Every structure is written in structure tokens, then in C-alpha cells.
Amino acid sequence: MFAFLVRRLLQSIVVMLVVGLVAFSLFNFVGDPIHNMVGQEATTEQREELREQLGLNDPFPLQFARFVANAAQGEFGISYRMARPVDVVIAERLPATLELAFVSAFFALFLGVSAGVYAALNRYGWTSRLVMTISLIGVSLPTFLIGILLIWIFAVQLQWLPSFGRGDVVQVGAWRTGFLTESGLRALILPAITLGLFQLTLIMRLVRAEMLEVLRTDYIKFARARGLSNRAINFGHALKNTLVPVITITGLQLGSIIAFAIITETVFQWPGVGLLFIIAIQFVDIPVMAAYLMLIALFFVVINLIVDLLYYAVDPRLRVEAGSARAH
Amino acid sequence: MKVKAVMFGLLVGTALTGMQFDASAETLRFASQSDALTLDPHAQNEGPTITMAQQIYDPLVIRADDMTVRPGLAVSWEAMEPTVWEFKLREGVSFHDGSAFTAEDAAFSLDRARVPPSDYRNYVSSIEEVSVVDEHTLRITTQAPNPILPQQLTNIVIMSKAWAEEHGVEQTQNYAEGEENHAVRNANGTGAFRLESREPDVRTVLVRNDDYWDRENLPMEVERVVSTPVSSSATRVAALLSGELDLILYPPVQDLRRLEQSSDIAVKNTPENRTIFLGLNQGADDLESDSVEGENPLADKRVREAINLAIDVDAIQRVVMRGQSVPAGSISPTYITGYKESFDERPPHDQERAKELLAEAGYEEGFEIDFACPNDRYNNDEAICQAIVGMLGQVGIDANLNAQTRSLHFQQLQNGELDFYMLGWGVPTFDSEYIFNFLYHTRDGNRGSWNFTGFSSERMDELVEGMAGETDLDARNALLDAAWEIALDDLTYVPLHHEVLNWAMRSNVDIPIRADNSPRFASVTFK
Amino acid sequence: MSVPGRNSPTSVARHPAERAGRPPSALARLRDSDLWYSFTRSPITVISALIVLLFFLGALFAPWIAPYNPFDPASLNLMDGFTPPMGEAFSGNSYLLGTDDQGRDVLSAILYGARISLFVGFCAVLFAMVLGISLGLLAGYKGGWIDSLIMRIADVQLSFPAILVALLIFGVARATLPRSFQEDMVIYVLIVAIGLSDWVQYARTVRGTTMVEKNKEYVQAARVIGVHPMLIMLRHVLPNVMGPVLVIATIGLALAIIAEATLSFLGVGVPPTTPSLGTLIRIGNDYLFSGEWWITLFPGLALILLALSVNLLGDWLRDALNPKLR
């Protein structure tokens, strides 16, 4: 167990370093940091002096080490666009994205598992086929179209739900939450559905496929032969065994939900890090781009670690060959 | 389609009925397309930033809703000598923190605003010295006679000196270098609203200042203002229609008819103090951004004329702007001193003549050129530019459109990277001098700072410098006329149209529309 | 229709005629294959295939069948802008699906737009496929640290959604390429961005098969007689993974088309002077509330129909090639 943990941790650090290298290259080669800091009237000497001050003339490994050290403390410099420290801006925006991501993940998981189980148990019923067809439409509908459609129906035509923003927020310590006000909760509904729909269809199809697989196995047949009730077989055995890969995928998808929020946040003007990132791309605001990249990588690494541990806890077989096993 | 949508909605939404939107009568929910860049009132001379600053801070002289000049923190002013002004300041005014407003604060603020890195120093560059005579008297000495000093002062708001010193913000925030100071996110003014909370780019909440010195003369019905920038105009309109917002700026022109038809919405419009035009780099010997080697087609006046004739501004007005623009013959907004209707006449659209002129200039085959546009600054800017690309194509000029966000557009413009570009110019001083000073004077590091055309004329420079010191109105008007003649004859810029300003609001809200597109929330009334 | 045809080698092994020793004609082999049988038995699949074919032909021959050239700004008549479907335009021209804000014929714009969408989609898939297969072969054959490196990169990248990777590459391209160059390059940047974001699955599939094959005797034998083993791998591994790769590619095509539309919708893709389906939807979105629904609706429907059909084909292909799921 300990060796497994250490190995995973080391791997994670390597991953972070690789992503850090990409972010660092963005910083130093894509945008000329000097050009963005001084006006065009600055003399060559002023530029050279600033280069020296910032250590841009140091050897590459030294510069990279400094970048990593700063990044580890969350320092990514000043946003070109907003003239504010990037870490502060991201910290302000992160709660909005996390709340949205968690609500959509929950929504996707809950509905996805229910619908998937239903579709597997009634695999020849027409409702099951309908669910599967609709799920395919869900995969084929671009997120932004879903968002526009939902706004058009529920905000403009029916006027039930707000079309943009986060509603009223409450400051709880350093966290600004929309969970505690009515307008905050209402504002969550449409973006959460938009963001969760793709994952929902994914989870549903996965649960169905896994469940069908498990239902075919011998021990299920044996359980049936023993005369266990359908209910006990389906939910006690089959579903439980289906959940292992589902946990993995959902866990891994959480990272991608956070990143996918870019589109949803743009459509709904949701004030999270995704909207920040897309504006940064348009403005070529490199510090924000680099910081966002590192942030998503960090999420990925942390989520992966947690999933590995969960996996380890759920599936005893893995303890034998711990470490080499992954979802697929 | 709609019936189905409703059915679908009914299915999903039954749990939610009964939760209708209900605006609290005293809160004004306001959205523009972008947020104030900073709350430091002297750091950025930019529309949304000014709008926010003017709610919280007051200037000495106020530009009222009808654009006339009224006493603000100064009750009266007088030119004692051509270069010496004396301002009597209002008594009994206090800042939001309770401290009293005195001449020291005014002098401090003017000094703060007229040195770098203040972005407002152009307005007050004529000031030589500001001195305090007594607690409520201020004396301003200018380098040369400056008849429009009071107008210029409408743009400079007054901060508390003690507050600034306490928080170390005696100097304006250096926005370009990414500096952040206490005044960027905090404010202490004398204005009708005090700052309650601010999340940049997300939400700013203002609350009414019940001790406001001018509360007798203003409705002051709004208790709270919630300002949320909504960059997508479709979202802004959707939110207004669904009752999530009370007042929006820049409703897209295509949505106006629908908004007007809705009984819940009122739309107000007025010609805006801003003209949209195209800038052409005539100064360079050769352009990097065109297909012509070794010469600059834009340096030939016939080419500029051809471009002017090729563009059908009436069609743009009719289709792209849906009537919400006034075709322009010069780049002068209609409100300002020096404007004449005869200057604003435009030769009719004439493709044949445009082709002839191009042929005369030696470009029968046309040429290729990069054409830069902002896509989030002016009403339908990108669509206008697309239409222009088509119209230029019809006379043989192959324009490659590069439409991008305003900050990149203006950054590239100021770096001198653009040879053919769209620009809009508003005139906050309501005087032609502001146009000539920035857009026509030779670019010399001081004046002509937005003249990226390379246009340079000694006569024009003389006229511009003459305008600054001329106190005799008739003589000054003659200078303006002469400058306009030169400007129009050169066709330095190809004028497109004067913008028409629209504000859309819930029908229970009323606010006088301002030609500077900067609403004053203290003027809002509720029905 | 290339999908079943290209796929026939995988099912041919089960063909009775081959077992009997006489090689049947390709057409007969196709007609007798399981794949063809399952294809004809699924009306939804047939319809999907027809729709994809229609889009493909429409896009390919757009310059000949489109009533107008929407990419030539000089041919547009601004006064015809916002003509509703079948409505009468200012100039007297008629437009079946109406016009957009610039007087561009929506039908022609969809045909030309689908051309861009499909071109970007196919090239991105091809790019991802070549890259993925090469890296998969390399990783599976060489093993060791090369394998670990490639697969670690794959793991990392898989956790980043394609759209984010594509956005980043796009951002980098924007900042590095000279500006005048960007407009011409934007389509290739899109292809690389989308392609690079989607190679992992090919690599994983190919790597797995390669690892199994490389220890077989014929590879050892080939090494002995001096043939480069990589060549052998290519010859023997590829046919084995053709089925899964085809499935990945088909679904990848749908994903690539949606990715392109999304990027263009976010305003970082194809410029409005040469609109793709995503750009058209972005433009039309501004006019949705003002009643000019056709500018968004028709390109939106076209996009959904195209992506859905490709997805349905991919879905069917996966089921048909994986008898366990049937």
C-alpha cells in the first residue's frame, strides 16, 4: 500500500512538472514578457535591465526551477488584461466553477446511473431503446447549442429561470457561494444541466454496457439459480460490481467537467475560471492561460490519486498487482 | 416549435412555478457590456470606468443629463484674468467616510489627475498651478488662456486627500504596468452612491448616499445598484426580457423592434456623441499590410476618395444598423462646437466613379490590404466591417478582415501596426478642438496621440495650437472652420456614421438618456 | 459510401467462400459479409449513411451546386440581408433558406460551411490516426521507457478534454504566427489543434495489439531474415486493429466536427468572412431574439444532423464489430 502510494505520488509530480514545462514555455516563448511589461517607448537599455532584473538571462534550467518554485506557491504573475495578480483572480473565480462542476457531476451521476440501470434491465423495451437514442442525440448536440436552447425556452419564453450569471452570492470565509440564496440556486439549474448532459449520456451508456456485461457472468447466473430475488441480484450484486468502472470514469470526468465548463460559462456568462480562460485566450493573456493550465493539471492529478485510492479500496483484486491497474 | 417548447417546459418546470421574478422596487439591476477597468478615478479614461466613477465621485463641474454644464462641487467659477480662474467650492459636503470636503481635496485631486500615470491628464494639461486660497476657494492658473477649462473639469472627479494619504494612493494607479492599489477596489467619494462591494468583472453593488449634497434636486429613488457586466448582447437582452435586469446599455439594434413591442420594456434613444470612421495610413512610404510593392496606395487621395465612394453607408444604415445610425460626411459628432451641417454631407455611393478613381491612381486591378476592426466595441462593428469588405471587393479592393477584441485592436493601433482600421471617436469636451488635437495634429508625443494616419500639416498644427489659447468666440470659430476645411479636403478619415444611442429598460424604470452613454443612477425614477 | 467497403477485410475471415478456397469478387464478399447484413437490417444506420453521403457530396460539389458563392464578399448584396426563407429579397433574388446579416444565402453558406467542417474533421481524424498509430506501434514494439513516456503523455492528455487542448494550441498559434498569416492558416491550425487532441485512443488500441503480436514467431522469423521488424508489425498489426480504429475514427469524426463548431462558436475558429457551420451559428445566435431564427436554425440543424448521423454510424459499427454486445 505504501509503496503504491509513493509511486503514484512520484508519477503525479512528474506529470505536474511536464505540464509546468508547457506552461513555462507559454510564458517565455509565446508572449515576450518584457514587451508586455514596458511601453513601446522603452529604450533597449531599459529592456535589458528589466531582463536582468527578472532573471530572463539566466540559464534555462534555473529559470524553469524558479518558475516551478513560484508556481508551487501559486504565483503566476500579473494578468496582462486585468492588471491584477493571477492567483488572486483565479482564487476569486474558482468557487463559481467548482460549485457548477459539482452540481453537474452529481446531476449526471444520479440520472446517468438510474437511466443506465434501467436501460440495461429492460434492454429490449422500447423505452430503453428510446433512452439510448436520446443519449446519442445528447452526445451529438454541441454544448453551446444546448445552452442556447435552454436559455431560449426557460429564460426567454417561459421566464422561469435566469439566463445568465450566478445570482446573489454569500461570502463564507474565503469562499463565495451561490448555494445559500434562492437566486443563486435558481441560476445554477440551467448551466448545470447544460454542463452535465454530456457526462450524463456518457455515464448512462457506460453503466448500461457494464451492467449487461456483469449480468452475463457466471456468478449472477449462479445467484439466480440460488433463487435470490431479482432485486437482490440486480442491485445487490450486479450494480455493485458495475460501480467500480463507473466511479473511475466519473472521477476522471470531474476534471473534464471543470475544463468543459469553459463553454457553458461562456454561454451563461457564469463568472468562473472557464470564462476567465476563454477571455484570456482572446486577449492572449498568457499568465492567466498558463495558470489555468496548471490548475486543471493539478485537478487531474489529485482526482487521479483519489480515484486510484478508491479503486484500491473497492476492488480487492487490485491489491495483488497494485499500481499497474488502471481503468482501462 | 413554440408550442412544443412550452409543452416541454411545462413538463420540466412544474416544480418551479410560482417562483416568478420580482424586482425589489428600490434596486436597480444594471448591465453594460463590460465592467469598469478600475475604480481608481484617474487611471483609465474609458466609458464604463467613467460611468462607475461618476456615481461615486463628483467633479467640480457637472455635465448634467441634458449635457449642459452645471455646478458640481464648485458652486461658481470666474476667470479673474485670461489665465487665472477662481472656483468657489460648495460648503457642507462630506465624503462617504464622513470627512468634510475642502479646497485641499480639490487641489490634491487635480494635481493627481494632471501628472502621469493619470489617464486624464490630457483634459487638464493646460493647468500650470492649482492653489488653495481658503477652505472653499480654489485658484487655477493655466499656461495660456483656456476658455473651455470648466468643460474639461467635468471629467476630473475629486477624491479625499486624507483618505488617499492614509491608503497610500496619492499617485494614480499605473494601469499599464499592472499596478494595483487600494483605490482600485475601494472608493471614498462625495457622490450619490457609495461602494458596497466589488467583484471585478462580475458584480459591483452601490448603495445610496442619503447625505448626498444634491439630493433635493435629484430623484434619488434608487437605494441599491447592482451592476453586472454581461458581454454577450443576446444574453443581456434575454435577461432584460425575463426581468433579471432593469436597465441595459447597448441593446443590439436587431432586437430593438422586439423590445419596443414588449409592453414590459421601454427603449430610449438619442444621437450619440460619437462618430464611426475608417483610418487610413497615408504617411508611410510603403505598407507592409498591402499587396502593392514599393508604394502606398492610401497616400493617394484618389484612392481614399474611391474608398469613400465605394462604401454604401445608407445600405449599412438600413440593414446592418436597422436605421440606428446617421450617415456622416465628417468625423464630427453633431453636438459639438464647430459642427456644421454642410460638413456632414456625404457624396452619394458611386461604384463606377470609385473604379475610375482607382484606375486614375494606377490601380485598375485593385489591390489587397489588411483591414482591422474591433468586434466588441461599437454597435455591430464586425458586421459593418464585413459589409465594407464586400463593398470594397466590388470595386476591386480586396480587404482582408481582421476582427478582434477591442483591447488587441487598440493595442495594435497604438503600436502603429494598423494601416487601415475602424475607429470611433466621442467628444467629451463637446468641442472640435478635442478631435483636431487627438486625430489631426501631427503626432509629436504630446498632441496627435491618436493620429495613426501619418497625416501632418503645418497649417493644421498652427490652427490646433491657436484654438487652445483663443478666448474670442468668433475668432475661435473661424479657426475651427478653417481646420475642418483642411480635414475634409484631405479625407484623412473615411467617415461612416454617427452612432445612435439606445438604452433599454423595464417599463417601470425611467431614466433620462444621456448622449455620453453614461447613465447617472441618481436620476432614475420608478413607476 | 466508404465505411462498409473499407471495413470488409475484417469480416472476410469468416467468409465461407474463402474457406472453400476460391476468392470471390470484392462486391460479392461485401454482400455476403456479416457487416453488410447487419447494415441492411438497421434502417437507422442506412438512413445515417445516406445523410452522411449526402453531406459529403454536397460539400464536395458545393461550388457547382450551391446557388451562390458565400465566400466571395464582393458578390454579396447587403440590401438582401435578413431575407426570410422563401421570402422576397430586395434585389429580387430568391433564397430558399433565407439570407444572413450580410445578405449571404444560408443554403449556400451551409454547403460551403459543411465543406469546411468536413474538411477539418477528416483531416483532423487522419492526422490523429497517423500520429496515434505510429506512436502506438512505437510504444508497443519498443516497450521500456519509450512506452512509459508515450503512455504517460497519453494519460495526461486524456484527462484534458480535447476542446481545452485545441484551445491552448490555438492560443499558442495566435501568439506566435504573424498576424497577416493567421487568416490563411486558421483552418490548418484547427486541424492540428483538433488532431493533436485526439490521438490517444488510436495509440492505446494499436499499442495493445502490437504488444501481443511482437512476441509471435513470424516476427522473430522476419527479424532473422533481415526484414525490419517494424515493417512486419505494420503489415500484421494494422489489419488486426482496423476494426477498432475505424470505430474510433468514425466517432472521432463526429467529435472533430463538433469541436470545430465549438471553437468557431467561441470565436477562435473560422472567421465570419468564410464561415463554417459553427461560425454561422455564432453569427445567427445574435439574431435569434430578433426573429431571424433561420440564420441559426438551419446551420444548427445541419450540424446536429451531420454529427448525429456520423455518431449513429460509429455506434452501429462498434456493435457490429463486437459480437459480444449484440
Side-chain angles (χ1 to χ4, degrees):
Chain A
M1 175 74 190
F2 183 69
F4 167 72
L5 243 179
V6 168
R7 192 160 51 220
R8 300 305 277 144
L9 264 176
L10 278 178
Q11 279 176 346
S12 306
I13 290 171
V14 171
V15 168
M16 285 308 291
L17 282 177
V18 171
V19 177
L21 193 64
V22 175
F24 172 71
S25 318
L26 263 181
F27 243 112
N28 280 32
F29 306 119
V30 174
D32 178 2
I34 297 294
H35 179 83
N36 289 298
M37 289 171 85
V38 299
Q40 47 169 333
E41 282 89 16
T43 63
T44 323
E45 285 121 59
Q46 283 173 324
R47 282 169 200 268
E48 201 42 49
E49 198 184 300
L50 194 60
R51 285 195 83 83
E52 197 60 46
Q53 264 178 27
L54 293 172
L56 292 174
N57 292 331
D58 294 343
F60 180 84
L62 192 63
Q63 285 194 48
F64 181 54
R66 196 163 33 222
F67 173 84
V68 171
N70 283 337
Q73 295 162 26
E75 266 179 47
F76 288 93
I78 308 278
S79 152
Y80 299 159
R81 181 177 72 95
M82 283 172 293
R84 302 183 50 215
V86 173
D87 50 335
V88 176
V89 176
I90 290 203
E92 273 173 12
R93 297 270 189 138
L94 197 57
T97 299
L98 287 182
E99 287 186 358
L100 177 61
F102 278 115
V103 171
S104 357
F106 181 76
F107 159 79
L109 195 63
F110 181 74
L111 274 184
V113 171
S114 321
V117 169
Y118 178 83
L121 295 182
N122 308 285
R123 61 181 299 211
Y124 298 112
W126 67 271
T127 40
S128 163
R129 287 210 183 131
L130 189 72
V131 166
M132 292 312 285
T133 311
I134 289 175
S135 81
L136 206 59
I137 296 176
V139 176
S140 306
L141 267 175
T143 312
F144 63 89
L145 268 184
I146 298 174
I148 293 170
L149 201 71
L150 289 179
I151 291 180
W152 172 248
I153 297 172
F154 293 104
V156 177
Q157 294 299 323
L158 300 171
Q159 306 201 356
W160 288 344
L161 293 168
S163 58
F164 83 102
R166 239 188 128 187
D168 292 317
V169 289
V170 179
Q171 191 86 29
V172 182
W175 190 277
R176 207 176 265 141
T177 180
F179 284 157
L180 299 177
T181 62
E182 190 199 308
S183 74
L185 289 174
R186 289 155 49 81
L188 250 172
I189 299 174
L190 292 186
I193 293 177
T194 309
L195 183 55
L197 215 55
F198 184 81
Q199 318 296 334
L200 189 157
T201 52
L202 200 80
I203 291 172
M204 178 168 93
R205 293 168 80 82
L206 182 78
V207 168
R208 174 180 174 272
E210 290 288 336
M211 189 98 172
L212 286 177
E213 201 105 328
V214 172
L215 284 175
R216 237 191 296 260
T217 53
D218 287 341
Y219 70 90
I220 295 288
K221 287 179 187 154
F222 185 66
R224 265 187 227 289
R226 263 170 53 199
L228 290 183
S229 72
N230 263 342
R231 196 187 155 82
I233 293 170
N234 290 341
F235 295 97
H237 291 95
L239 183 61
K240 205 172 135 199
N241 282 297
T242 306
L243 283 184
V244 178
V246 172
I247 290 172
T248 321
I249 297 285
T250 314
L252 294 175
Q253 287 295 321
L254 194 63
S256 97
I257 284 188
I258 290 169
F260 254 112
I262 296 170
I263 302 161
T264 312
E265 287 182 9
T266 309
V267 175
F268 288 94
Q269 300 283 305
W270 187 265
V273 285
L275 190 59
L276 190 71
F277 177 68
I278 196 78
I279 295 173
I281 293 236
Q282 283 164 1
F283 282 71
V284 198
D285 191 344
I286 308 271
V288 174
M289 282 162 69
Y292 181 80
L293 185 66
M294 293 293 283
L295 181 75
I296 296 291
L298 183 69
F299 272 120
F300 156 73
V301 162
V302 171
I303 289 169
N304 248 283
L305 266 178
I306 295 173
V307 166
D308 276 336
L309 291 178
L310 268 181
Y311 215 54
Y312 195 84
V314 171
D315 193 339
R317 281 173 303 180
L318 292 176
R319 283 175 209 159
V320 186
E321 39 156 357
S324 62
R326 290 187 48 85
H328 47 170
Chain B
M1 161 102 189
K2 198 169 160 182
V3 175
K4 259 196 191 154
V6 171
M7 293 276 291
F8 178 48
L10 280 175
L11 279 172
V12 182
T14 34
L16 305 164
T17 42
M19 293 161 73
Q20 283 301 321
F21 293 104
D22 189 22
S24 144
E26 297 79 20
T27 298
L28 180 81
R29 292 157 307 166
F30 165 75
S32 181
Q33 63 186 158
S34 52
D35 197 15
L37 297 167
T38 168
L39 290 189
D40 187 318
H42 305 136
Q44 282 288 296
N45 179 18
E46 184 251 10
T49 311
I50 296 170
T51 301
M52 189 63 81
Q54 297 258 356
Q55 318 296 333
I56 303 171
Y57 293 96
D58 290 314
L60 293 178
V61 182
I62 283 182
R63 179 82 62 189
D65 288 338
D66 59 3
M67 296 291 115
T68 56
V69 171
R70 297 260 172 85
L73 289 180
V75 283
S76 65
W77 48 88
E78 196 183 350
M80 317 294 283
E81 294 167 36
T83 59
V84 179
W85 292 75
E86 197 164 277
F87 285 77
K88 284 281 171 213
L89 305 186
R90 198 173 292 277
E91 298 184 26
V93 175
S94 56
F95 285 99
H96 295 157
D97 66 359
S99 61
F101 158 73
T102 67
E104 288 289 341
D105 299 310
F108 163 77
S109 302
L110 291 180
D111 285 338
R112 188 180 191 261
R114 69 196 181 91
V115 296
S118 162
D119 199 28
Y120 287 79
R121 55 183 191 275
N122 269 324
Y123 291 116
V124 278
S125 56
S126 66
I127 294 180
E128 170 121 348
E129 198 198 351
V130 183
S131 55
V132 175
V133 178
D134 61 44
E135 199 159 273
H136 293 103
T137 311
L138 196 68
R139 183 166 297 162
I140 299 177
T141 315
T142 57
Q143 287 151 356
N146 178 10
I148 58 168
L149 182 69
Q151 274 93 321
Q152 290 172 332
L153 287 181
T154 57
N155 301 293
I156 311 294
V157 295
I158 305 301
M159 301 170 79
S160 155
K161 183 183 182 189
W163 184 80
E165 282 170 351
E166 185 189 337
H167 295 286
V169 290
E170 297 96 327
Q171 270 223 339
T172 306
Q173 170 204 17
N174 191 335
Y175 188 85
E177 283 189 11
E179 188 199 4
E180 173 149 24
N181 66 28
H182 187 77
V184 171
R185 303 240 262 154
N186 299 277
N188 179 35
T190 56
F193 292 89
R194 60 178 85 218
L195 180 69
E196 182 181 275
S197 67
R198 171 152 174 87
E199 294 172 65
D201 268 357
V202 178
R203 193 178 155 91
T204 304
V205 181
L206 305 176
V207 290
R208 185 169 66 196
N209 173 12
D210 287 324
D211 301 323
Y212 189 50
W213 55 267
D214 204 19
R215 66 182 182 283
E216 304 302 325
N217 302 317
L218 289 166
M220 297 286 285
E221 288 184 17
V222 176
E223 270 178 11
R224 264 167 77 85
V225 178
V226 179
S227 168
T228 44
V230 180
S231 59
S232 146
S233 35
T235 312
R236 215 157 51 239
V237 170
L240 180 72
L241 284 168
S242 63
E244 293 163 73
L245 291 171
D246 299 312
L247 171 65
I248 64 170
L249 304 191
Y250 299 104
V253 292
Q254 61 268 16
D255 291 332
L256 289 176
R257 206 182 52 196
R258 191 183 130 96
L259 288 171
E260 276 161 359
Q261 281 168 356
S262 161
S263 58
D264 299 331
I265 309 289
V267 178
K268 287 193 172 183
N269 67 53
T270 182
E272 188 175 4
N273 180 357
R274 185 195 283 135
T275 305
I276 307 295
F277 52 89
L278 306 179
L280 311 116
N281 181 358
Q282 55 170 271
D285 293 331
D286 189 15
L287 302 179
E288 266 182 46
S289 61
D290 67 0
S291 63
V292 183
E293 291 299 325
E295 57 180 3
N296 174 1
L298 301 182
D300 193 320
K301 190 185 158 193
R302 286 168 296 192
V303 174
R304 300 200 294 275
E305 271 185 83
I307 292 174
N308 194 29
L309 290 172
I311 298 173
D312 184 354
V313 283
D314 294 321
I316 291 177
Q317 182 209 25
R318 187 121 66 124
V319 179
V320 180
M321 304 307 289
R322 310 219 184 191
Q324 299 294 318
S325 68
V326 180
S330 85
I331 68 167
S332 161
T334 52
Y335 290 88
I336 67 172
T337 318
Y339 171 83
K340 275 190 181 167
E341 268 180 36
S342 59
F343 294 160
D344 212 10
E345 274 164 24
R346 215 191 137 80
H349 172 231
D350 188 344
Q351 279 189 3
E352 291 317 309
R353 180 74 194 125
K355 282 182 199 160
E356 277 170 35
L357 281 164
L358 280 177
E360 281 170 29
Y363 301 104
E364 298 90 343
E365 303 296 317
F367 57 90
E368 218 179 294
I369 187 162
D370 289 353
F371 176 36
C373 262
N375 61 15
D376 53 3
R377 181 63 189 94
Y378 311 114
N379 275 342
N380 287 359
D381 38 17
E382 190 175 6
I384 297 169
C385 288
Q386 274 193 63
I388 289 173
V389 168
M391 292 164 180
L392 292 179
Q394 282 158 8
V395 298
I397 300 174
D398 187 3
N400 302 315
L401 179 60
N402 176 29
Q404 54 188 345
T405 185
R406 62 199 166 118
S407 75
L408 289 180
H409 180 76
F410 290 127
Q411 190 185 329
Q412 287 167 7
L413 188 59
Q414 279 166 315
N415 285 342
E417 293 172 37
L418 305 180
D419 296 322
F420 184 26
Y421 55 89
M422 175 186 252
L423 185 62
W425 201 250
V427 185
T429 59
F430 290 77
D431 187 282
S432 293
E433 189 263 349
Y434 187 85
I435 297 178
F436 293 119
N437 188 338
F438 282 91
L439 297 169
Y440 283 99
H441 192 284
T442 306
R443 198 156 186 239
D444 61 4
N446 183 25
R447 290 197 171 91
S449 57
W450 280 78
N451 177 4
F452 305 107
T453 62
F455 169 76
S456 175
S457 139
E458 272 181 42
R459 176 80 186 119
M460 175 64 89
D461 294 356
E462 277 169 28
L463 288 168
V464 176
E465 280 142 39
M467 288 169 203
E470 183 57 68
T471 43
D472 180 70
L473 275 184
D474 288 336
R476 196 164 179 281
N477 282 341
L479 292 178
L480 297 182
D481 273 6
W484 275 121
E485 307 263 338
I486 297 176
L488 291 171
D489 179 63
D490 182 70
L491 203 63
T492 318
Y493 298 96
V494 170
L496 296 176
H497 54 240
H498 309 298
E499 282 202 316
V500 172
L501 191 63
N502 285 281
W503 291 358
M505 59 205 85
R506 299 293 295 177
S507 47
N508 64 330
V509 174
D510 193 25
I511 181 171
I513 189 166
R514 290 171 62 104
D516 60 4
N517 203 17
S518 180
R520 295 289 179 271
F521 302 135
S523 305
V524 169
T525 51
F526 291 107
K527 280 177 230 163
Chain C
M1 186 64 249
S2 60
V3 170
R6 269 207 314 208
N7 201 48
S8 51
T10 45
S11 44
V12 88
R14 295 191 290 271
H15 197 273
E18 190 169 293
R19 262 177 274 147
R22 53 195 158 79
S25 75
L27 196 68
R29 286 201 318 202
L30 176 63
R31 222 177 28 230
D32 282 349
S33 68
D34 292 351
L35 213 56
W36 182 252
Y37 177 74
S38 97
F39 179 71
T40 49
R41 282 289 304 266
S42 165
I44 289 186
T45 311
V46 176
I47 293 171
S48 311
L50 277 177
I51 291 174
V52 174
L53 186 70
L54 221 62
F55 265 103
F56 192 71
L57 291 177
L60 199 63
F61 298 107
W64 293 277
I65 54 176
Y68 302 89
N69 179 0
F71 286 3
D72 176 14
S75 75
L76 304 181
N77 186 342
L78 185 62
M79 293 306 284
D80 280 1
F82 302 113
T83 309
M86 317 279 285
E88 195 175 327
F90 182 86
S91 65
N93 291 344
S94 73
Y95 302 96
L96 186 63
L97 299 183
T99 63
D100 75 353
D101 61 324
Q102 296 287 328
R104 188 183 281 123
D105 176 38
V106 171
L107 176 63
S108 308
I110 288 176
L111 288 169
Y112 274 79
R115 195 175 156 91
I116 293 187
S117 299
L118 279 169
F119 179 73
V120 170
F122 269 113
C123 291
V125 164
L126 207 65
F127 183 76
M129 199 193 287
V130 170
L131 188 70
I133 291 178
S134 318
L135 288 177
L137 272 176
L138 192 68
Y141 184 73
K142 290 276 184 191
W145 69 269
I146 293 186
D147 180 33
S148 316
L149 180 71
I150 293 176
M151 285 299 116
R152 259 344 259 182
I153 294 176
D155 282 349
V156 176
Q157 199 184 312
L158 204 62
S159 62
F160 287 86
I163 202 81
L164 177 63
V165 178
L167 269 174
L168 267 176
I169 296 171
F170 202 91
V172 172
R174 254 187 91 116
T176 44
L177 289 176
R179 200 155 20 83
S180 52
F181 205 48
Q182 276 179 14
E183 190 146 327
D184 310 325
M185 291 300 290
V186 72
I187 287 193
Y188 302 100
V189 173
L190 276 175
I191 290 172
V192 171
I194 297 171
L196 267 184
S197 65
D198 198 33
W199 59 274
V200 174
Q201 281 200 298
Y202 302 97
R204 288 193 158 184
T205 311
V206 172
R207 171 179 172 267
T209 319
T210 311
M211 283 169 80
V212 174
E213 295 287 313
K214 78 169 173 189
N215 292 322
K216 293 203 172 149
E217 274 172 23
Y218 69 90
V219 182
Q220 313 286 346
R223 207 177 283 164
V224 172
I225 59 169
V227 179
H228 196 286
M230 284 299 273
L231 262 178
I232 302 284
M233 303 299 305
L234 208 62
R235 287 262 307 269
H236 290 265
V237 171
L238 275 192
N240 277 317
V241 294
M242 227 36 232
V245 164
L246 206 60
V247 174
I248 299 171
T250 315
I251 293 169
L253 178 63
L255 287 177
I257 289 170
I258 291 178
E260 182 278 320
T262 305
L263 288 175
S264 294
F265 177 78
L266 291 176
V268 297
V270 182
T273 37
T274 54
S276 71
L277 290 178
T279 319
L280 285 171
I281 295 170
R282 173 169 77 91
I283 296 169
N285 189 31
D286 289 343
Y287 305 106
L288 197 59
F289 297 122
S290 55
E292 283 100 3
W293 47 270
W294 58 90
I295 307 174
T296 301
L297 186 75
F298 292 126
L301 279 180
L303 177 67
I304 294 171
L305 208 61
L306 179 60
L308 183 63
S309 304
V310 176
N311 259 331
L312 281 168
L313 271 183
D315 222 39
W316 158 79
L317 207 56
R318 182 180 50 211
D319 287 355
L321 293 177
N322 184 359
K324 215 166 71 171
L325 283 180
R326 227 179 279 155

